[in-house]
Amino acid sequence: MATELALTEVAAGVFELRLPIPFEDGLVNVFLFTDGKHTDLLDCGMNADESLAAIKRALEHLGSRRLRRLVVTHIHPDHYGAAGIFAGPGLADLYIHRLEVPLVHPRYVELEHLVEEVRNYLLVNGVPAEEADVLSNSQRALSEVVKTAEPSVQLDGAEHIEMGRHSLRVEWTPGHSPGHICLYSATEGLLFAGDHILPELSPNIGLHPQSTPDPLHDYLDGLMRMAAHQPKVVLPAHGRPFSDAPSRVDALVSHHQRRLDQIVEILVRNEEKTGWQVALDLWGPRDNLYEKRLALQEGLAHLQALAVEGRVIKSVTPASVRWQPA
Ligand SMILES: [Zn+2]
């Protein structure tokens, strides 16, 4: 089945390719940068036949003899899954932020330790044992659509990378993932935003064993820094390109501000709640397991931000993590 190639030139020598995501009805946008000889790729979709075929056809279509660089915004499967197909010895060089590197092996290669760590994290945050088993095991399926690769370059942020004919600055934007990066061209006002700023969705910001310790503040800080660039065009990994970054950032910031206030209202003085109870109060019971886990992680990221701000008291023992108003 040869579906039509969803390849659009979004700037001189920069092509957006929209790839299907197996198990989901959404699409992920990856970007090809060509200088006539080489092609460089930003994100690579999942390791799945239809997606791989689309990238190969796009490279042929651009008359590219060689894929030179693969830069990955973060190691979630829809952005990084095919890394091991396109990058490695004799293939493209993989560029990735160094805080993403240690997440790869436990998440996709040797899962047992992380499955156990996640199970414990779910239990101490109030998830019933039966659901904790199912939820902690659910990540096994993801490793099937990911082929890992060793990075050739580990980024800190603030580097300039040649992508096709463009020089792009690495913008470290932690929150959605610890080493999430955007790429920015100041001369052209182009911001390749990955999952950091999406036009329709608020990206999941979660506190979990592989997150930064205060991911919501990290995320909000990154939003302000990207808005300050006042990019002409934002090219997101999901959804269509858009121009008014500051007003999208405003909307995302107020969404989180509202949620923080909502959580403070849910908490009752002198009564400790688990993250799971707060997530259930906020979002109600969910049938979809994956959504349940995202809700817990998102609730915990907000609780943690409130604790850091001193609005909430966080108490921990080996058996539980609990929250109450300050
Ligand atoms: Zn993501």
Side-chain angles (χ1 to χ4, degrees):
M1 181 182 70
T3 42
E4 196 159 340
L5 199 57
L7 189 67
T8 315
E9 188 163 17
V10 291
V14 184
F15 296 82
E16 179 204 58
L17 175 64
R18 311 198 77 194
L19 297 171
I21 307 176
F23 325 121
E24 284 180 34
D25 53 7
L27 299 169
V28 61
N29 310 323
V30 305
F31 295 89
L32 298 107
F33 300 74
T34 180
D35 67 1
K37 288 204 301 274
H38 312 106
T39 298
D40 301 313
L41 183 60
L42 176 63
D43 284 347
C44 57
M46 282 195 186
N47 182 21
D49 292 344
E50 208 184 325
S51 181
L52 298 176
I55 293 181
K56 286 172 187 162
R57 280 169 59 209
L59 288 170
E60 266 167 44
H61 180 86
L62 297 176
S64 176
R65 268 167 282 161
R66 192 169 86 91
L67 187 63
R68 179 176 55 171
R69 298 193 172 118
L70 168 62
V71 179
V72 168
T73 57
H74 62 302
I75 56 99
H76 291 169
D78 47 334
H79 304 265
Y80 169 83
I85 303 290
F86 296 109
L91 301 168
D93 287 328
L94 176 62
Y95 290 57
I96 188 168
H97 192 277
R98 62 185 171 84
L99 293 188
E100 294 297 274
V101 176
L103 312 183
V104 169
H105 202 77
R107 192 182 277 223
Y108 301 127
V109 185
E110 263 176 72
L111 289 78
E112 294 320 311
H113 181 77
L114 185 62
V115 167
E116 196 44 45
E117 199 179 3
V118 167
R119 186 171 177 278
N120 185 57
Y121 148 89
L122 294 169
L123 291 175
V124 299
N125 283 299
V127 178
E130 221 169 275
E131 291 190 80
D133 283 338
V134 183
L135 283 173
S136 57
N137 277 299
S138 64
Q139 66 201 59
R140 290 180 198 277
L142 288 177
S143 65
E144 284 159 27
V145 286
V146 175
K147 188 171 186 334
T148 65
E150 290 298 319
S152 303
V153 175
Q154 297 197 31
L155 301 162
D156 298 317
E159 296 88 351
H160 281 83
I161 306 179
E162 297 299 324
M163 296 288 277
R165 299 196 293 270
H166 300 256
S167 175
L168 298 168
R169 196 177 110 112
V170 175
E171 301 284 347
W172 177 41
T173 45
H176 178 65
S177 193
H180 185 288
I181 57 166
C182 300
L183 293 182
Y184 181 58
S185 158
T187 46
E188 287 148 301
L190 298 176
L191 179 66
F192 296 88
D195 281 357
H196 187 61
I197 312 176
L198 300 174
E200 281 154 38
L201 302 168
S202 175
N204 181 254
I205 309 301
L207 181 72
H208 55 83
Q210 285 199 328
S211 71
T212 51
D214 184 7
L216 183 61
H217 281 131
D218 292 340
Y219 176 67
L220 295 174
D221 175 65
L223 283 181
M224 305 316 283
R225 282 187 286 115
M226 293 310 102
H229 284 317
Q230 300 199 303
K232 283 202 199 83
V233 184
V234 180
L235 298 139
H238 306 281
R240 305 317 308 132
F242 58 98
S243 55
D244 193 355
S247 72
R248 183 61 191 138
V249 164
D250 275 353
L252 288 166
V253 171
S254 18
H255 162 79
H256 288 293
Q257 235 73 19
R258 273 197 307 277
R259 184 125 294 160
L260 289 167
D261 294 340
Q262 235 178 326
I263 290 180
V264 173
E265 275 167 39
I266 284 173
L267 294 171
V268 184
R269 201 166 294 279
N270 297 324
E271 191 187 305
E272 291 185 322
K273 288 196 177 196
T274 64
W276 186 244
Q277 287 169 322
V278 171
L280 285 175
D281 287 352
L282 263 183
W283 287 286
R286 301 256 163 164
D287 296 332
N288 182 311
L289 282 176
Y290 184 63
E291 282 179 22
K292 270 190 198 179
R293 185 167 151 191
L294 289 184
L296 173 67
Q297 294 177 353
E298 181 99 20
L300 287 171
H302 286 79
L303 286 162
Q304 177 66 21
L306 288 166
V308 169
E309 289 172 19
R311 296 168 73 189
V312 154
I313 295 167
K314 176 183 188 181
S315 313
V316 288
T317 69
S320 76
V321 180
R322 290 171 180 275
W323 314 81
Q324 62 172 309

